[in-house]
Amino acid sequence: MARKDEYTGGATAPETVVGATVKIEGDLQSDGDIKVDGLVTGKIKTSKNLFVGSMAKIEADVEAGNAVLAGIIKGDIKVKEHLLIEETGRIDGNISCGRLQIADGAHFTGSCTMPEPEKALNQPLPEEEE
Amino acid sequence: MYFYIFDPGKDKEVKYFEKIQGRLLNLFAEHRIEGDNYRVTSIRTVELLTEQAVTAEAKTIVVVGGDGSLNKAVNTLARRQADITVGFIPLDLGSTLANIFGMPADIEQAVKVLAGRLITELDLGKVGEHFFLSKVDLGAAPFGKIESGFLGFSAMSRLLKLEPFTVTLSLENSYTATSEVLAAQIINSRNNTGGHFRLGDPTDRLLDVLLLHKLTRSQIFRWRRELSTGCLDNVPGATIMHAKKIDILGPKKLPISVEGQIYTKAPATVTVAKEKIKIIVGKNRQF
């Protein structure tokens, strides 16, 4: 059975995989999915899915379409849609995301901004009854 | 016009080769793809014959020989930026490039594929001044398919001899990746047989970087069969990255080889070449 912190994408490999022994310095950008198990300093950017394993250490600003974070991250995180912080996740930075899920046991230090969906903003406010 | 280059190589017996050449000429006639036929000799090399084909304005060059012969012809064509389609009839059963392009080992089937003229334009990788179709190996011991032997023990003894080294790469001038590895490859195309993932698409204008981290003896034992396929990414945790340009920064003097032949040493740059090559491929191609 796959462990919770394992990538379970089936037969399709994430397009970029940073192994546990790899140290990346600079801007790691991809048009596809990224999986990080090693060390990254700089910036991570993908419009698709980002998976940060429990052994990963990241000192970088992160931008992704969706993200599952199980490692240590120091930096601001901007996720367009769904962000999941696993129980082993340690986040030190500000978060901006569409939907947020934090597992029991996860650490999160920083502020969180969740942009309102446009529909909700356009709806008229209910009139107050006297 | 078809321009056939027959390269018997060094290890083929003349009688055996002449028999194959005769059979091929009959098959070419049968499929109406006859052309000019030339045999490689010590003074009439693959490169010279390819130059001759370019000058003669051949539309298709067909290399009959090994992977090395095809690589030489492709290099000459890429340097000349010649718009000539290339066909390949492998004479080695274990031809990597034939497997990638879906060319059957049986020459009768191979001629059928050739006559079918399914043409694909493929990327070429470039290391220094050398163009390559398949992959570049980093390190003293190039990593390829290994006969796994009884219970995979032959593969294991080969793998145990690999010495780990720390490699530093710069990708797209955007980031550097450093890791202690057992093997490292930069792939344009590869034989994915036995691989868990499909890598090395020679039409995507990208090179795939594969790094296999250092393994303990017990890990080598555990993954011996997966590694014997030659696909490093079969081992969990292997690193996969993609780039058009990769600078191999270190270690200094690290041998960089294509198909087992060392072409340069680090520091070196590997890129997707702006030149492309048109190849006749089969339906069982790997991309």
Side-chain angles (χ1 to χ4, degrees), chain A residues 29-86:
Chain A
Q29 292 196 23
S30 173
D31 296 329
D33 296 351
I34 299 178
K35 185 189 180 203
V36 180
D37 284 319
L39 269 68
V40 181
T41 56
K43 195 176 180 182
I44 300 176
K45 192 177 177 182
T46 174
S47 56
K48 300 268 175 68
N49 304 312
L50 171 69
F51 185 95
V52 176
S54 58
M55 303 302 285
K57 283 183 184 171
I58 292 171
E59 285 187 25
D61 290 339
V62 171
E63 269 187 66
N66 294 285
V68 178
L69 310 179
I72 299 168
I73 300 174
K74 279 186 184 175
D76 293 342
I77 298 163
K78 200 175 167 184
V79 174
K80 200 175 174 189
E81 289 171 35
H82 186 215
L83 168 61
L84 165 63
I85 305 171
E86 298 267 28

Side-chain angles (χ1 to χ4, degrees), chain B residues 88-99:
Chain B
F88 180 46
I89 295 182
L91 291 183
D92 296 326
L93 288 175
S95 163
T96 306
L97 293 176
N99 217 311

Side-chain angles (χ1 to χ4, degrees), chain A residues 10-29, chain B residues 174-181 196-198 211 213-214 237-242:
Chain A
T12 313
E15 290 190 6
T16 300
V17 183
V18 179
T21 60
V22 178
K23 188 182 172 188
I24 300 260
E25 288 177 63
D27 293 354
L28 175 60
Q29 292 196 23
Chain B
S174 175
Y175 63 95
T176 59
T178 307
S179 178
E180 187 174 25
V181 296
H196 294 174
F197 304 116
R198 194 163 279 271
L211 305 177
H213 49 89
K214 189 182 167 186
T239 295
I240 307 168
M241 298 177 289
H242 314 275

Side-chain angles (χ1 to χ4, degrees), chain B residues 67 88 92-102 134-135 145 189-191 259 286:
Chain B
D67 288 354
F88 180 46
D92 296 326
L93 288 175
S95 163
T96 306
L97 293 176
N99 217 311
I100 293 169
F101 302 146
S134 56
K135 63 183 170 65
K145 196 174 163 68
S189 66
R190 76 164 186 186
N191 182 358
E259 310 284 347
Q286 300 270 330

